[in-house]
Amino acid sequence: MRILISADMEGATGVTWPDDVMPGASQWERCRSLFTSDVNAAVRGFHDGGADEVIINEAHSTMRNLLLEQLDDRARMLTGRHKALSMVEGVQHGDVDGIAFVGYHAGAGMEGVLAHTYLANSITGVWLNDVRASEGLLNAHVAAEYGVPVVLVTGDDVACEDALGYAPEALKVAVKDHVSRYAAVCRTPGRTAADIQAAAKEAAALAVRHEPVRGGPFTVAVEFDAEHLAMAATVVPGVDRIGERKVAYTSGTMYEGIRAFKAVTTIVSAAVEEQYG
């Protein structure tokens, strides 16, 4: 049994505001250990449940946040940027039986601690076939195309509620309760590690590959906080304006859809000016 962990940071234990997750910021170094603790708990739990191998795909920002020297020795980690499937890189090779979303969060425009979709700001909403989309929803559709079920989701309570829509059978672990975008009632790392480990052990039984789900076509709509960002996004072929601050494109598969989304967000991030957005 091979498990892939897609590890994001905003939904990690103790994380509540930008400095906790921005590389080089004052609290980031401390929160790297908390993030690594959550991932380690999942690794231990999956092995307790019978996994033969657990591979971690670092999925936050620079994708160089987890502390390799603190990881469980049984794990292997893919670290660094520029990967074909970004947050779920590795799911496409036909050898993954289940995927875990550790440290996930709610999407842009939703309530939730540090809620966003790919870009920390600038994007005010993303919709997949008219359903408001988080990173979890987008990534779950990519995994489904390769027959890989989402078996575990950890994050704040809102992220766990969001996961009910895209992975209803997955185990969910809330490591904190949302109060506002930058505040939460947090559980201690000792408690969250125990909760994640127990859930991962149970979730291992769900790691059974299924027939690939071909659910396309997929229409992705993205709304920005400024008109010029929508204009910038149309540089990507197939992306059209559907409103003053909104664009959309349609892809036959989510493999194509998530790659186009990455292109849109990369172009848009380069169009943001420091003071005016």
Side-chain angles (χ1 to χ4, degrees):
M1 181 198 305
R2 177 176 286 184
I3 303 292
L4 176 66
I5 294 176
S6 173
D8 204 359
M9 195 171 184
E10 286 88 357
T13 295
V15 167
T16 60
W17 76 310
D19 268 15
D20 292 340
V21 297
M22 294 178 63
S26 60
Q27 290 298 306
W28 170 71
E29 194 67 49
R30 180 181 70 88
C31 289
R32 294 176 75 189
S33 291
L34 296 172
F35 182 28
T36 305
S37 175
D38 284 3
V39 171
N40 270 337
V43 172
R44 291 194 300 270
F46 282 122
H47 278 288
D48 290 345
D52 300 298
E53 186 176 9
V54 180
I55 301 171
I56 302 152
N57 179 27
E58 243 269 30
H60 173 69
S61 185
T62 58
M63 300 182 177
R64 299 181 184 277
N65 306 274
L66 286 170
L67 297 168
L68 180 64
E69 59 272 28
Q70 291 183 14
L71 282 179
D72 189 300
D73 286 337
R74 294 169 292 183
R76 291 192 298 143
M77 179 172 67
L78 169 59
T79 184
R81 297 176 62 191
H82 310 305
K83 298 171 284 196
L85 287 180
S86 190
M87 298 182 74
V88 290
E89 176 66 24
V91 77
Q92 71 268 43
H93 300 311
D95 56 1
V96 173
D97 300 295
I99 187 168
F101 294 165
V102 173
Y104 269 51
H105 50 82
M110 302 178 186
E111 290 189 343
V113 178
L114 293 170
H116 70 283
T117 306
Y118 269 57
L119 300 185
N121 50 38
S122 302
I123 293 177
T124 56
V126 178
W127 293 263
L128 177 63
N129 290 346
D130 296 323
V131 175
R132 188 177 280 275
S134 62
E135 292 169 9
L137 176 64
L138 296 174
N139 291 334
H141 277 283
V142 177
E145 287 191 344
Y146 295 97
V148 179
V150 179
V151 300
L152 173 69
V153 179
T154 79
D156 71 357
D157 56 329
V158 181
C160 292
E161 291 172 13
D162 178 55
L164 290 172
Y166 63 78
E169 296 182 357
L171 276 292
K172 287 91 175 171
V173 178
V175 302
K176 55 199 171 192
D177 296 322
H178 161 263
V179 173
S180 73
R181 194 172 190 224
Y182 303 131
V185 178
C186 296
R187 297 154 179 75
T188 64
R191 177 178 170 186
T192 59
D195 290 346
I196 293 170
Q197 183 172 347
K201 179 180 180 180
E202 184 177 350
L206 302 175
V208 179
R209 292 179 57 81
H210 51 69
E211 286 297 315
V213 177
R214 305 299 183 190
F218 296 99
T219 297
V220 177
V222 187
E223 182 182 70
F224 305 99
D225 63 3
E227 178 275 338
H228 77 284
L229 299 182
M231 179 181 66
T234 61
V235 171
V236 179
V239 176
D240 298 312
R241 294 278 287 270
I242 60 170
E244 187 176 39
R245 295 181 291 106
K246 198 170 185 179
V247 300
Y249 63 89
T250 299
S251 300
T253 67
M254 271 306 294
Y255 171 83
E256 297 167 347
I258 202 70
R259 287 162 63 83
F261 187 70
K262 180 66 174 177
V264 166
T265 56
T266 299
I267 292 292
V268 165
S269 65
V272 175
E273 300 293 342
E274 183 176 356
Q275 297 298 325
Y276 283 80

